[in-house]
Amino acid sequence: MLAREKLTEDDWEEVEETLLAADVGVAATTQIVQRLRTQSLVLATGDAGALRELLVTELAAVLGPDMDRTLATDRELDRPAVVLVVGVNGAGKTTTCGKIARVLVGDGRSVLLGAADTFRAAAADQLETWGERVGVPTVRGAEGGDPASVAFEAVKVGKAADVDAVLIDTAGRLHTKSGLMDELGKVKRVVEKQSPVDEVLLVLDATTGQNGVVQARVFTEAVTVTGIVLTKLDGTAKGGIVVSVQRELGIPVKLVGLGEGADDLAPFEPRAFAEALVG
């Protein structure tokens, strides 16, 4: 499309439609297309390479290149860093916990996992399997037990064992169920009786599209989300949802999941992501 000699009004509408289809969102798409049109007029260019570069630059700009994307996983003086991992069922929370643990262990840090998803059958087993795979212990409770007490115990054990970080996997609450969202708030409050929570990571499935923005908004009302992990970017996901989430909520995307493997978790880099999105 950008390689056409002269872009007509219809072509610009097609650019707009393509960005919307990639889940970039209406507000961001309008801004990007307006700036792209202005820039192409200023540069008086119809050159495909130049237009592509302009589009990548504009996308990278709306992806918030200056946002702080560091993970708060550094141990404090007298306690471990505490990371709460939240999100709806099937987004990939448990897998994300395992992958983060693997990265931290690879950096030479000690980690403890907390299986606070007591609702989903086999969730604790799945987390424990990840723990065994990367060589870290898992604290778990009875199936159907109180998730807040498991999270509390995990942080307590982590402090006693002097670990660097405690990663807590929570239940995949449906964002439409207010009682379950209240439960999530309770988990955080109970944990904070033991230790401050340093990071709350919201795991979003990239294939959910604009529904991801709705999920993110509801979760931020229940707990203070400090970062997004975007999973399942390896398949048909458009990934433009990153733009919408960051614009609307001001929460940085910190990590992206690119596959099922233990090493398929990468830091989010706006420029590289914009290039991949444009193709």
Side-chain angles (χ1 to χ4, degrees):
M1 197 190 307
L2 295 175
R4 291 168 191 163
E5 199 169 309
K6 191 175 188 309
L7 292 181
T8 64
E9 197 59 41
D10 286 348
D11 292 332
W12 283 113
E13 278 185 20
E14 205 178 325
V15 171
E16 206 166 89
E17 284 166 15
T18 307
L19 286 169
L20 286 171
D23 287 327
V24 171
V26 177
T29 294
T30 305
Q31 180 190 327
I32 290 166
V33 172
Q34 281 177 351
R35 288 177 63 94
L36 202 58
R37 291 185 76 155
T38 305
Q39 294 273 35
S40 64
L41 283 170
V42 169
L43 297 172
T45 183
D47 173 64
L51 281 173
R52 183 189 177 282
E53 182 57 32
L54 277 175
L55 180 54
V56 169
T57 302
E58 289 302 330
L59 274 168
V62 297
L63 285 168
D66 301 327
M67 280 182 150
D68 180 10
R69 299 180 198 277
T70 52
L71 274 186
T73 51
D74 291 336
R75 180 181 168 77
E76 298 296 324
L77 284 173
D78 58 343
R79 64 171 186 87
V82 177
V83 180
L84 211 56
V85 181
V86 304
V88 301
N89 272 328
K93 289 184 308 304
T94 306
T95 303
T96 297
C97 279
K99 288 178 179 180
I100 294 172
R102 183 183 172 93
V103 171
L104 294 177
V105 168
D107 281 347
R109 284 186 267 180
S110 54
V111 180
L112 182 128
L113 297 172
D117 183 353
T118 57
F119 295 121
R120 183 169 66 89
D125 292 342
Q126 188 188 349
L127 190 67
E128 204 163 36
T129 300
W130 267 106
E132 288 165 4
R133 198 184 296 176
V134 300
V136 302
T138 303
V139 170
R140 57 184 294 176
E143 195 172 309
D146 179 33
S149 65
V150 177
F152 180 87
E153 187 63 23
V155 176
K156 185 178 172 185
V157 171
K159 283 172 79 174
D162 246 11
V163 298
D164 296 316
V166 177
L167 308 178
I168 300 168
D169 183 26
T170 63
R173 292 161 166 70
L174 286 169
H175 60 284
T176 50
K177 302 280 178 69
S178 60
L180 291 174
M181 296 309 291
D182 293 342
E183 179 75 43
L184 185 58
K186 177 189 165 189
V187 169
K188 186 168 184 277
R189 287 193 303 276
V190 169
V191 165
E192 285 174 335
K193 290 177 181 174
Q194 269 290 346
S195 166
V197 173
D198 300 276
E199 186 90 63
V200 179
L201 292 175
L202 171 61
V203 180
L204 287 179
D205 177 345
T207 61
T208 58
Q210 290 300 308
N211 190 37
V213 181
V214 179
Q215 287 176 22
R217 196 178 292 118
V218 178
F219 273 94
T220 52
E221 286 166 9
V223 284
T224 308
V225 176
T226 55
I228 307 275
V229 181
L230 199 68
T231 61
K232 305 182 189 179
L233 269 175
D234 53 322
T236 56
K238 311 294 194 305
I241 185 65
V242 173
V243 180
S244 303
V245 170
Q246 289 195 163
R247 273 180 67 94
E248 291 200 26
L249 301 167
I251 302 166
V253 173
K254 296 191 172 185
L255 298 165
V256 286
L258 304 164
E260 291 299 314
D263 295 316
D264 296 330
L265 190 70
F268 180 76
E269 294 171 14
R271 174 79 197 185
F273 185 82
E275 286 180 347
L277 199 61
V278 172

